[in-house]
């Protein structure tokens, strides 16, 4: 198991945000955490990356107990995070932002840069543009690209589709699938539960700091309770692009009753949207 979260409790002052979360992520998987606002999804990611301390419980990564390891060492160990809200350095160019992602490592990063530019051609076109002048969707790509520069074994993604126009949401999810296909394990937090479940192998449903359900993602897409709470058009379910209304998803998402997905680089072949190659972004999102 690449990442093991064992019964973690996390507090903000006296407020218990996580009340005994356990979850596992195997190498090659896309695992998603879904749940309503305040359920503890972001806190779980921040605790894995070392931004929040544990009250109790433990986290193991690649066989090592990292519960007390400082965040920068976790980056070196292979935990990459693209934070909610993006955190792009506005005065630095796109390329300088990307290089910041590799700051903890030594050497020449031309290979990593080339890989990020291949995944995100839009960043290549704009490598000299200040990060702060990129559109919302472009900044999201930049934040993900920056996390990839550190060559993470697992990429933690917090709400990558937040605030993006439907078309761009599709593209971001396609790129996540491609990143996974190229060998990076992904732990994804999303409000856009439908889209997240379509690209994930497995999922955990969080409610008020606890895991209330865990299952193969395809099973949760069919689960009546999950559908009613998170996929049925509830307030928080589908702010961006309801996958059900997207023709290519309807056609390509595949049956929901597959067996557990195969592991390893090409893990997402069957159940994912049609994304064999990185998607070139042709249109700006609404926040440009
Ligand atoms: N900095 C903070 N100070 C105090 N309480 C916090 C802080 N950050 C989060 N919390 C609380 O911890 C709980 C879990 O929050 P968290 O952000 O992890 O939820 P979430 O599932 O990611 O929600 P969302 O989808 O709205 O981002 C919430 O009750 C929240 O109010």
């Amino acid at each position: 198991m690449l990442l093991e979260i064992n019964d973690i409790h996390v507090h903000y002052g006296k407020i218990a945000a996580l009340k005994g979360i356990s979850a596992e992520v195997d190498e090659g998987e896309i695992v998603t955490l879904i749940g309503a606002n305040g359920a503890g999804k972001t806190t779980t990611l921040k605790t894995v990356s070392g931004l929040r301390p544990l009250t109790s419980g433990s986290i193991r990564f690649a066989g090592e107990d990292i519960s007390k390891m400082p965040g920068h060492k976790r980056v070196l160990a292979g935990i990459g995070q693209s934070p909610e809200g993006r955190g792009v350095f506005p005065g630095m160019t796109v390329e300088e932002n990307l290089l910041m992602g590799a700051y903890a490592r030594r050497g020449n990063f031309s290979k990593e840069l080339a890989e990020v530019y291949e995944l995100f051609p839009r960043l290549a076109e704009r490598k000299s543009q200040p990060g702060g002048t990129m559109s919302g969707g472009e900044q999201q790509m930049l934040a993900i690209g920056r996390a990839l520069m550190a060559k993470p074994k697992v990429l933690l993604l917090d709400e990558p589709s937040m605030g993006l126009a439907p078309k761009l949401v599709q593209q971001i999810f396609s790129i996540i699938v491609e990143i996974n296909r190229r060998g990076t394990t992904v732990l994804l937090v999303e409000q856009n539960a439908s889209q997240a479940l379509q690209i994930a192998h497995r999922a955990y449903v969080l409610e008020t700091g606890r895991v209330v359900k865990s299952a193969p993602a395809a099973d949760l897409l069919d689960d009546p309770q999950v559908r009613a709470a998170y996929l049925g058009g509830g307030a928080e379910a589908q702010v961006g692009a309801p996958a059900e209304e997207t023709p290519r998803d309807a056609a390509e998402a595949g049956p929901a009753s597959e067996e557990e997905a195969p592991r390893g680089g090409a893990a997402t072949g069957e159940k994912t949207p049609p994304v064999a190659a990185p998607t070139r972004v042709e249109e700006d999102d609404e926040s440009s």
Side-chain angles (χ1 to χ4, degrees), residues 34-41 159 190-191 205-208 229-230 236:
I34 62 172
N37 292 112
K41 307 180 297 294
E159 303 275 5
E190 260 295 334
Q191 290 270 331
V205 182
L206 270 54
E207 271 176 25
T208 57
Y230 305 108
E236 74 275 9

Side-chain angles (χ1 to χ4, degrees), residues 74-159:
R74 296 189 201 193
V75 176
L76 285 172
I79 297 177
Q81 179 161 24
S82 171
E84 188 181 40
R86 294 154 198 169
V88 164
F89 301 105
M92 291 183 166
T93 67
V94 165
E95 187 149 303
E96 286 163 352
N97 265 280
L98 289 174
L99 289 168
M100 286 301 286
Y103 77 98
R105 300 170 56 229
R106 287 172 194 281
N108 168 341
F109 304 108
S110 50
K111 185 166 165 284
E112 288 82 356
L113 264 180
E115 282 176 19
V116 170
Y117 286 146
E118 194 193 343
L119 273 172
F120 299 105
R122 175 63 64 102
L123 297 183
E125 287 162 16
R126 289 160 189 260
K127 61 175 90 164
S128 306
Q129 184 173 323
T133 63
M134 302 280 276
S135 76
E138 289 166 349
Q139 289 195 30
Q140 186 61 267
M141 294 173 200
L142 182 50
I144 296 172
R146 191 177 58 193
L148 289 174
M149 290 293 293
K151 288 268 174 200
K153 293 192 179 88
V154 64
L155 178 62
L156 312 180
L157 291 172
D158 196 353
E159 303 275 5

